[in-house]
Amino acid sequence: MIRVVIALLILLLGLAMTAGGGWLVSLNGSPYYLVAGAVLVLCALLLLMKRRSALGLYALLLIGTLGWSLWEAGLDWWALAPRGALLVLFGLLLVIPGVTSPIRGGRAPLLLAVLLSTAVAAVGYYQDPHDLNGELPGPVSPDAGHSELVPKGDWHAYGRTAFGQRYSPLAQITPDNVARLRRAWVFHTGDTDATTFETTPLKVDDTLYLCTPRHELIALDATTGVERWRFDPDIEPELNRRRQICRGVAYFPGHRQPPLATVERTNPQPEEMLAATGSERDSLIDPEDLHCEKRLFLPTADARLIALDADTGERCARFGDNGEVNLWNGMPNPEPPLYYPSSPPAVTDQLVIIGGLISDNVSVSQPSGVIRAYDVDDGRLVWNWDPGNPERTEPLPEGETYSASSPNSWSVASVDEALGMVYLPMGNHTPDQWGEQRDPDAERFSSSVVALDLATGKVRWVFQTVRHDLWDMDVPAQPSLLDLDTPQGRVPVLVQPTKQGDIYVLDRRTGDPVLPVREQPAPASLGYQTVATSQPSSALNFNPPPLRERDMWGATPVDQLFCRIRFRQLQYQGRYTPPSEQGSLIYPGNFGVFNWGALAVDPVRQVAFTSPSYLAYVSTLVPRKDDHSRHVSSRGPGANENYGAPYAVKMKPFLSPLGLPCQQPPWGYVAGADLRTGEVVWRHRNGTIGYPSPIALPVTIGVPDIGGPIITAGGVAFMSGGLDNKVRAYDLTSGRTLWEDHLPIGGHATPMTYLDDTGRQILLVVAGGHSAIGTRGPSRDAVIAYVLDDAAAEKDVDQVR
């Protein structure tokens, strides 16, 4: 009976592989599946007829499959397993005594084939052709790691300082002791209905500040995690989006120079104000300004910017209208779901500068991507930079509006006040996948890094990372600023990671490349729209090689065969294949090799810790019948409908029927790069089989990360955004994993670190999951503090509220 069941299962597998294999051959694909399927069908029939030759034929199939697998994949266990594991399992069943008892003899060759296949797989398990070993250099510029404007134990901005390095000068936690990290306390925000928790908290003096996905601002005691106060911006409930985002708040520590508002009110000579110190300066300041001298700026989902006193959480009444400015002022196409600031603004001594997120692919008539600078004290508009009208930066008169649908900046900006520039990572010109109706003057700022003059808002330089972007390749991450030692001397640089995998190292004074950038030919148009003939690429990059049919993956030969068929059906000419009605394979996909967390840089060692991810997507143009009906969406404002364009678009990850990525792993790494040479020094798979399997197994497969790392002067990097719901510590020199802890749900925000009042270095992780990548867990609102166990407080770590 067992023999009959096994024979029928083999017959079903053989029929599926024969049919699918024939389809694949008709698409000019590999003939293996057709041949192997036919052999399986014959083996099954022979088994049912109790023929001895069935076992010998199956042995030949295993040997042939082994040879074909090694030819296609080499000794890569994750590539070998789906090709042969199921066949080896059937072979093992066939040699077990009693299973094929009616068949006499013939088991020895099959047993040898099973053992040989298993031995090769075992060798492959301990080989990793994707691994790269090396060691990053030691300190180059010992005095470069600390900003005097931010105390060593604090974290004042999204990237700790306005330079966006995500580097801490703290060194209490080291590779030797990091394994002793334990939870000190856990705080729950109460925002359990949220679907994206991406905030990186700030630490100022003895207080932590964080925002929830619903844009509440919470202040916590940095030592105990106890809530001090909470501010609710009172957002209309119907404005709550499925993926409402608040990546953080901004902090203003008080003026280093006299405030602009004070100069206007008292009307002294500017030189007098700049020279005034101590009591002289105090005499020139209105006593009401002492309230809110230190303040927080909270962006909201209904497009407001609110100023709050950092000590009390009360509104700063002098700022705008009772502590807030309305970002809908001057905005065209004012439909609330389509625009809001999802990232914290940039703050200088005089200005608060803010952009905003524009919903992708809703229509050709969207709000503006305008960047606005407000007086940090009174909230009056100082300048505005509209990519659709870039020369006119003076505030618009009442009744005029900014240009519609211009490129936006939804991520975090960086500032160099000494050079007088703010650096903006720019998103794509909407709609993302349709470029025929764009303003050519505005499009030069699309998917670029733009440097604006702090005083005037005028463009100082622009560097475009993707020309005529048809793939949603926004520049997603905050630029990191540092001074780099080069053969030509020390250069102030900007390090910009991109979704397509390039990391550009630019002179931040001029935008000129410091590491070489070359032009590469781009795929030709598929007849739907104009495309760029070439695209730039940096010498420092994590660009994946083009996909091939042999790179298709699956848990079994059947779903791997499905992925091969689908691969052959899609349009694919390599990176930058244009979207099409047939469906185009986009690799890397718009998930990005790097996204908002991207990388951290060590300004002392002049190196970067990165977390490249690799997932392919499918982009399909859907002809629109009219300008109002839904073609690809069922709710919300109409994501991907592209109202007003001739096509809507379907965007989805390239997955097998089992929901696994169709391209073989690894899908995620950690990697270390020398910024002076552009060399990738080490690279290792990151993350275990907890993703995409529903069962967590301690097997390192390499999963995507979204959230980003930090670096400490102790030589340890931390990251919590892997899809297997872990926070990990890594040796910065080698990339070796030193410690990990399981999170209640994915930590898809950049961690941070600080000193508490007792002098302990704390690692802080926000764990709230992310609906876009399907993270799972019981809690969606956790803020978790870790401390070395010899200093941890004796308390119930999950009871602090």
mmCIF file with all atom_site columns, all heavy atoms in Angstrom, residues 249-266:
data_model
loop_
_atom_site.group_PDB
_atom_site.id
_atom_site.type_symbol
_atom_site.label_atom_id
_atom_site.label_alt_id
_atom_site.label_comp_id
_atom_site.label_asym_id
_atom_site.label_entity_id
_atom_site.label_seq_id
_atom_site.pdbx_PDB_ins_code
_atom_site.Cartn_x
_atom_site.Cartn_y
_atom_site.Cartn_z
_atom_site.occupancy
_atom_site.B_iso_or_equiv
_atom_site.pdbx_formal_charge
_atom_site.auth_seq_id
_atom_site.auth_comp_id
_atom_site.auth_asym_id
_atom_site.auth_atom_id
_atom_site.pdbx_PDB_model_num
ATOM 1   N N   . VAL A 1 249 ? 10.473 63.182 15.661 1.00 0.00 ? 249 VAL A N   1
ATOM 2   C CA  . VAL A 1 249 ? 10.283 64.607 15.881 1.00 0.00 ? 249 VAL A CA  1
ATOM 3   C C   . VAL A 1 249 ? 11.650 65.284 15.827 1.00 0.00 ? 249 VAL A C   1
ATOM 4   O O   . VAL A 1 249 ? 12.691 64.622 15.861 1.00 0.00 ? 249 VAL A O   1
ATOM 5   C CB  . VAL A 1 249 ? 9.595  64.875 17.234 1.00 0.00 ? 249 VAL A CB  1
ATOM 6   C CG1 . VAL A 1 249 ? 8.213  64.249 17.231 1.00 0.00 ? 249 VAL A CG1 1
ATOM 7   C CG2 . VAL A 1 249 ? 10.433 64.342 18.395 1.00 0.00 ? 249 VAL A CG2 1
ATOM 8   N N   . ALA A 1 250 ? 11.638 66.615 15.728 1.00 0.00 ? 250 ALA A N   1
ATOM 9   C CA  . ALA A 1 250 ? 12.885 67.387 15.671 1.00 0.00 ? 250 ALA A CA  1
ATOM 10  C C   . ALA A 1 250 ? 13.024 68.206 16.945 1.00 0.00 ? 250 ALA A C   1
ATOM 11  O O   . ALA A 1 250 ? 12.022 68.652 17.533 1.00 0.00 ? 250 ALA A O   1
ATOM 12  C CB  . ALA A 1 250 ? 12.889 68.298 14.450 1.00 0.00 ? 250 ALA A CB  1
ATOM 13  N N   . TYR A 1 251 ? 14.261 68.440 17.350 1.00 0.00 ? 251 TYR A N   1
ATOM 14  C CA  . TYR A 1 251 ? 14.553 69.159 18.590 1.00 0.00 ? 251 TYR A CA  1
ATOM 15  C C   . TYR A 1 251 ? 15.324 70.434 18.295 1.00 0.00 ? 251 TYR A C   1
ATOM 16  O O   . TYR A 1 251 ? 16.260 70.445 17.493 1.00 0.00 ? 251 TYR A O   1
ATOM 17  C CB  . TYR A 1 251 ? 15.374 68.266 19.522 1.00 0.00 ? 251 TYR A CB  1
ATOM 18  C CG  . TYR A 1 251 ? 15.898 68.972 20.753 1.00 0.00 ? 251 TYR A CG  1
ATOM 19  C CD1 . TYR A 1 251 ? 15.032 69.437 21.732 1.00 0.00 ? 251 TYR A CD1 1
ATOM 20  C CD2 . TYR A 1 251 ? 17.268 69.154 20.932 1.00 0.00 ? 251 TYR A CD2 1
ATOM 21  C CE1 . TYR A 1 251 ? 15.505 70.087 22.867 1.00 0.00 ? 251 TYR A CE1 1
ATOM 22  C CE2 . TYR A 1 251 ? 17.755 69.799 22.072 1.00 0.00 ? 251 TYR A CE2 1
ATOM 23  C CZ  . TYR A 1 251 ? 16.876 70.257 23.028 1.00 0.00 ? 251 TYR A CZ  1
ATOM 24  O OH  . TYR A 1 251 ? 17.349 70.906 24.144 1.00 0.00 ? 251 TYR A OH  1
ATOM 25  N N   . PHE A 1 252 ? 14.903 71.515 18.965 1.00 0.00 ? 252 PHE A N   1
ATOM 26  C CA  . PHE A 1 252 ? 15.617 72.795 18.890 1.00 0.00 ? 252 PHE A CA  1
ATOM 27  C C   . PHE A 1 252 ? 16.136 73.116 20.289 1.00 0.00 ? 252 PHE A C   1
ATOM 28  O O   . PHE A 1 252 ? 15.356 73.287 21.232 1.00 0.00 ? 252 PHE A O   1
ATOM 29  C CB  . PHE A 1 252 ? 14.674 73.895 18.404 1.00 0.00 ? 252 PHE A CB  1
ATOM 30  C CG  . PHE A 1 252 ? 15.296 75.262 18.395 1.00 0.00 ? 252 PHE A CG  1
ATOM 31  C CD1 . PHE A 1 252 ? 16.283 75.583 17.479 1.00 0.00 ? 252 PHE A CD1 1
ATOM 32  C CD2 . PHE A 1 252 ? 14.897 76.226 19.309 1.00 0.00 ? 252 PHE A CD2 1
ATOM 33  C CE1 . PHE A 1 252 ? 16.871 76.843 17.479 1.00 0.00 ? 252 PHE A CE1 1
ATOM 34  C CE2 . PHE A 1 252 ? 15.466 77.484 19.312 1.00 0.00 ? 252 PHE A CE2 1
ATOM 35  C CZ  . PHE A 1 252 ? 16.462 77.796 18.393 1.00 0.00 ? 252 PHE A CZ  1
ATOM 36  N N   . PRO A 1 253 ? 17.473 73.214 20.471 1.00 0.00 ? 253 PRO A N   1
ATOM 37  C CA  . PRO A 1 253 ? 18.040 73.353 21.819 1.00 0.00 ? 253 PRO A CA  1
ATOM 38  C C   . PRO A 1 253 ? 18.076 74.773 22.350 1.00 0.00 ? 253 PRO A C   1
ATOM 39  O O   . PRO A 1 253 ? 18.528 75.004 23.477 1.00 0.00 ? 253 PRO A O   1
ATOM 40  C CB  . PRO A 1 253 ? 19.460 72.819 21.633 1.00 0.00 ? 253 PRO A CB  1
ATOM 41  C CG  . PRO A 1 253 ? 19.803 73.164 20.224 1.00 0.00 ? 253 PRO A CG  1
ATOM 42  C CD  . PRO A 1 253 ? 18.507 73.020 19.447 1.00 0.00 ? 253 PRO A CD  1
ATOM 43  N N   . GLY A 1 254 ? 17.642 75.741 21.574 1.00 0.00 ? 254 GLY A N   1
ATOM 44  C CA  . GLY A 1 254 ? 17.804 77.144 21.925 1.00 0.00 ? 254 GLY A CA  1
ATOM 45  C C   . GLY A 1 254 ? 18.840 77.776 21.016 1.00 0.00 ? 254 GLY A C   1
ATOM 46  O O   . GLY A 1 254 ? 19.628 77.101 20.348 1.00 0.00 ? 254 GLY A O   1
ATOM 47  N N   . HIS A 1 255 ? 18.867 79.090 20.984 1.00 0.00 ? 255 HIS A N   1
ATOM 48  C CA  . HIS A 1 255 ? 19.689 79.796 20.003 1.00 0.00 ? 255 HIS A CA  1
ATOM 49  C C   . HIS A 1 255 ? 21.162 79.837 20.396 1.00 0.00 ? 255 HIS A C   1
ATOM 50  O O   . HIS A 1 255 ? 21.511 80.093 21.546 1.00 0.00 ? 255 HIS A O   1
ATOM 51  C CB  . HIS A 1 255 ? 19.179 81.224 19.821 1.00 0.00 ? 255 HIS A CB  1
ATOM 52  C CG  . HIS A 1 255 ? 17.885 81.295 19.070 1.00 0.00 ? 255 HIS A CG  1
ATOM 53  N ND1 . HIS A 1 255 ? 17.816 81.124 17.706 1.00 0.00 ? 255 HIS A ND1 1
ATOM 54  C CD2 . HIS A 1 255 ? 16.616 81.515 19.494 1.00 0.00 ? 255 HIS A CD2 1
ATOM 55  C CE1 . HIS A 1 255 ? 16.552 81.237 17.320 1.00 0.00 ? 255 HIS A CE1 1
ATOM 56  N NE2 . HIS A 1 255 ? 15.799 81.470 18.382 1.00 0.00 ? 255 HIS A NE2 1
ATOM 57  N N   . ARG A 1 256 ? 21.994 79.593 19.419 1.00 0.00 ? 256 ARG A N   1
ATOM 58  C CA  . ARG A 1 256 ? 23.424 79.871 19.554 1.00 0.00 ? 256 ARG A CA  1
ATOM 59  C C   . ARG A 1 256 ? 23.712 81.307 19.151 1.00 0.00 ? 256 ARG A C   1
ATOM 60  O O   . ARG A 1 256 ? 24.707 81.890 19.553 1.00 0.00 ? 256 ARG A O   1
ATOM 61  C CB  . ARG A 1 256 ? 24.242 78.914 18.682 1.00 0.00 ? 256 ARG A CB  1
ATOM 62  C CG  . ARG A 1 256 ? 23.995 77.452 18.993 1.00 0.00 ? 256 ARG A CG  1
ATOM 63  C CD  . ARG A 1 256 ? 24.940 76.537 18.232 1.00 0.00 ? 256 ARG A CD  1
ATOM 64  N NE  . ARG A 1 256 ? 24.809 76.682 16.788 1.00 0.00 ? 256 ARG A NE  1
ATOM 65  C CZ  . ARG A 1 256 ? 23.892 76.060 16.055 1.00 0.00 ? 256 ARG A CZ  1
ATOM 66  N NH1 . ARG A 1 256 ? 23.010 75.273 16.644 1.00 0.00 ? 256 ARG A NH1 1
ATOM 67  N NH2 . ARG A 1 256 ? 23.838 76.221 14.742 1.00 0.00 ? 256 ARG A NH2 1
ATOM 68  N N   . GLN A 1 257 ? 22.834 81.875 18.282 1.00 0.00 ? 257 GLN A N   1
ATOM 69  C CA  . GLN A 1 257 ? 22.882 83.274 17.885 1.00 0.00 ? 257 GLN A CA  1
ATOM 70  C C   . GLN A 1 257 ? 21.511 83.883 18.194 1.00 0.00 ? 257 GLN A C   1
ATOM 71  O O   . GLN A 1 257 ? 20.530 83.160 18.370 1.00 0.00 ? 257 GLN A O   1
ATOM 72  C CB  . GLN A 1 257 ? 23.186 83.401 16.389 1.00 0.00 ? 257 GLN A CB  1
ATOM 73  C CG  . GLN A 1 257 ? 24.535 82.841 15.986 1.00 0.00 ? 257 GLN A CG  1
ATOM 74  C CD  . GLN A 1 257 ? 24.745 82.920 14.489 1.00 0.00 ? 257 GLN A CD  1
ATOM 75  O OE1 . GLN A 1 257 ? 23.899 83.418 13.761 1.00 0.00 ? 257 GLN A OE1 1
ATOM 76  N NE2 . GLN A 1 257 ? 25.888 82.437 14.036 1.00 0.00 ? 257 GLN A NE2 1
ATOM 77  N N   . PRO A 1 258 ? 21.407 85.209 18.270 1.00 0.00 ? 258 PRO A N   1
ATOM 78  C CA  . PRO A 1 258 ? 20.101 85.803 18.584 1.00 0.00 ? 258 PRO A CA  1
ATOM 79  C C   . PRO A 1 258 ? 19.044 85.396 17.577 1.00 0.00 ? 258 PRO A C   1
ATOM 80  O O   . PRO A 1 258 ? 19.310 85.302 16.378 1.00 0.00 ? 258 PRO A O   1
ATOM 81  C CB  . PRO A 1 258 ? 20.382 87.319 18.493 1.00 0.00 ? 258 PRO A CB  1
ATOM 82  C CG  . PRO A 1 258 ? 21.850 87.440 18.712 1.00 0.00 ? 258 PRO A CG  1
ATOM 83  C CD  . PRO A 1 258 ? 22.459 86.206 18.107 1.00 0.00 ? 258 PRO A CD  1
ATOM 84  N N   . PRO A 1 259 ? 17.828 85.114 18.036 1.00 0.00 ? 259 PRO A N   1
ATOM 85  C CA  . PRO A 1 259 ? 16.768 84.686 17.122 1.00 0.00 ? 259 PRO A CA  1
ATOM 86  C C   . PRO A 1 259 ? 16.335 85.789 16.183 1.00 0.00 ? 259 PRO A C   1
ATOM 87  O O   . PRO A 1 259 ? 16.382 86.968 16.515 1.00 0.00 ? 259 PRO A O   1
ATOM 88  C CB  . PRO A 1 259 ? 15.630 84.282 18.062 1.00 0.00 ? 259 PRO A CB  1
ATOM 89  C CG  . PRO A 1 259 ? 15.891 85.053 19.317 1.00 0.00 ? 259 PRO A CG  1
ATOM 90  C CD  . PRO A 1 259 ? 17.390 85.146 19.434 1.00 0.00 ? 259 PRO A CD  1
ATOM 91  N N   . LEU A 1 260 ? 15.888 85.373 15.005 1.00 0.00 ? 260 LEU A N   1
ATOM 92  C CA  . LEU A 1 260 ? 15.419 86.339 14.013 1.00 0.00 ? 260 LEU A CA  1
ATOM 93  C C   . LEU A 1 260 ? 14.268 87.174 14.560 1.00 0.00 ? 260 LEU A C   1
ATOM 94  O O   . LEU A 1 260 ? 14.199 88.380 14.351 1.00 0.00 ? 260 LEU A O   1
ATOM 95  C CB  . LEU A 1 260 ? 14.956 85.595 12.760 1.00 0.00 ? 260 LEU A CB  1
ATOM 96  C CG  . LEU A 1 260 ? 16.034 84.825 11.977 1.00 0.00 ? 260 LEU A CG  1
ATOM 97  C CD1 . LEU A 1 260 ? 15.363 84.031 10.859 1.00 0.00 ? 260 LEU A CD1 1
ATOM 98  C CD2 . LEU A 1 260 ? 17.077 85.758 11.407 1.00 0.00 ? 260 LEU A CD2 1
ATOM 99  N N   . ALA A 1 261 ? 13.350 86.549 15.278 1.00 0.00 ? 261 ALA A N   1
ATOM 100 C CA  . ALA A 1 261 ? 12.191 87.270 15.789 1.00 0.00 ? 261 ALA A CA  1
ATOM 101 C C   . ALA A 1 261 ? 12.606 88.340 16.780 1.00 0.00 ? 261 ALA A C   1
ATOM 102 O O   . ALA A 1 261 ? 12.035 89.429 16.837 1.00 0.00 ? 261 ALA A O   1
ATOM 103 C CB  . ALA A 1 261 ? 11.210 86.296 16.447 1.00 0.00 ? 261 ALA A CB  1
ATOM 104 N N   . THR A 1 262 ? 13.632 88.058 17.613 1.00 0.00 ? 262 THR A N   1
ATOM 105 C CA  . THR A 1 262 ? 14.093 89.035 18.588 1.00 0.00 ? 262 THR A CA  1
ATOM 106 C C   . THR A 1 262 ? 14.706 90.233 17.896 1.00 0.00 ? 262 THR A C   1
ATOM 107 O O   . THR A 1 262 ? 14.497 91.382 18.288 1.00 0.00 ? 262 THR A O   1
ATOM 108 C CB  . THR A 1 262 ? 15.118 88.379 19.536 1.00 0.00 ? 262 THR A CB  1
ATOM 109 O OG1 . THR A 1 262 ? 14.497 87.300 20.202 1.00 0.00 ? 262 THR A OG1 1
ATOM 110 C CG2 . THR A 1 262 ? 15.617 89.386 20.558 1.00 0.00 ? 262 THR A CG2 1
ATOM 111 N N   . VAL A 1 263 ? 15.484 89.988 16.840 1.00 0.00 ? 263 VAL A N   1
ATOM 112 C CA  . VAL A 1 263 ? 16.086 91.081 16.084 1.00 0.00 ? 263 VAL A CA  1
ATOM 113 C C   . VAL A 1 263 ? 15.001 91.988 15.542 1.00 0.00 ? 263 VAL A C   1
ATOM 114 O O   . VAL A 1 263 ? 15.103 93.224 15.596 1.00 0.00 ? 263 VAL A O   1
ATOM 115 C CB  . VAL A 1 263 ? 16.956 90.525 14.939 1.00 0.00 ? 263 VAL A CB  1
ATOM 116 C CG1 . VAL A 1 263 ? 17.429 91.651 14.037 1.00 0.00 ? 263 VAL A CG1 1
ATOM 117 C CG2 . VAL A 1 263 ? 18.144 89.764 15.499 1.00 0.00 ? 263 VAL A CG2 1
ATOM 118 N N   . GLU A 1 264 ? 13.909 91.417 15.031 1.00 0.00 ? 264 GLU A N   1
ATOM 119 C CA  . GLU A 1 264 ? 12.832 92.229 14.466 1.00 0.00 ? 264 GLU A CA  1
ATOM 120 C C   . GLU A 1 264 ? 12.073 93.001 15.561 1.00 0.00 ? 264 GLU A C   1
ATOM 121 O O   . GLU A 1 264 ? 11.716 94.147 15.395 1.00 0.00 ? 264 GLU A O   1
ATOM 122 C CB  . GLU A 1 264 ? 11.857 91.339 13.709 1.00 0.00 ? 264 GLU A CB  1
ATOM 123 C CG  . GLU A 1 264 ? 12.445 90.808 12.417 1.00 0.00 ? 264 GLU A CG  1
ATOM 124 C CD  . GLU A 1 264 ? 11.382 90.118 11.589 1.00 0.00 ? 264 GLU A CD  1
ATOM 125 O OE1 . GLU A 1 264 ? 10.262 89.960 12.094 1.00 0.00 ? 264 GLU A OE1 1
ATOM 126 O OE2 . GLU A 1 264 ? 11.678 89.756 10.455 1.00 0.00 ? 264 GLU A OE2 1
ATOM 127 N N   . ARG A 1 265 ? 11.853 92.361 16.739 1.00 0.00 ? 265 ARG A N   1
ATOM 128 C CA  . ARG A 1 265 ? 11.051 92.987 17.775 1.00 0.00 ? 265 ARG A CA  1
ATOM 129 C C   . ARG A 1 265 ? 11.750 94.166 18.430 1.00 0.00 ? 265 ARG A C   1
ATOM 130 O O   . ARG A 1 265 ? 11.189 95.222 18.638 1.00 0.00 ? 265 ARG A O   1
ATOM 131 C CB  . ARG A 1 265 ? 10.699 91.938 18.841 1.00 0.00 ? 265 ARG A CB  1
ATOM 132 C CG  . ARG A 1 265 ? 9.273  91.491 18.816 1.00 0.00 ? 265 ARG A CG  1
ATOM 133 C CD  . ARG A 1 265 ? 8.882  90.737 20.053 1.00 0.00 ? 265 ARG A CD  1
ATOM 134 N NE  . ARG A 1 265 ? 9.906  89.868 20.591 1.00 0.00 ? 265 ARG A NE  1
ATOM 135 C CZ  . ARG A 1 265 ? 10.079 88.609 20.224 1.00 0.00 ? 265 ARG A CZ  1
ATOM 136 N NH1 . ARG A 1 265 ? 9.343  88.093 19.287 1.00 0.00 ? 265 ARG A NH1 1
ATOM 137 N NH2 . ARG A 1 265 ? 10.989 87.873 20.795 1.00 0.00 ? 265 ARG A NH2 1
ATOM 138 N N   . THR A 1 266 ? 13.047 93.970 18.810 1.00 0.00 ? 266 THR A N   1
ATOM 139 C CA  . THR A 1 266 ? 13.753 95.016 19.553 1.00 0.00 ? 266 THR A CA  1
ATOM 140 C C   . THR A 1 266 ? 14.491 95.974 18.646 1.00 0.00 ? 266 THR A C   1
ATOM 141 O O   . THR A 1 266 ? 14.897 97.048 19.078 1.00 0.00 ? 266 THR A O   1
ATOM 142 C CB  . THR A 1 266 ? 14.759 94.364 20.521 1.00 0.00 ? 266 THR A CB  1
ATOM 143 O OG1 . THR A 1 266 ? 15.710 93.632 19.744 1.00 0.00 ? 266 THR A OG1 1
ATOM 144 C CG2 . THR A 1 266 ? 14.056 93.423 21.480 1.00 0.00 ? 266 THR A CG2 1
#
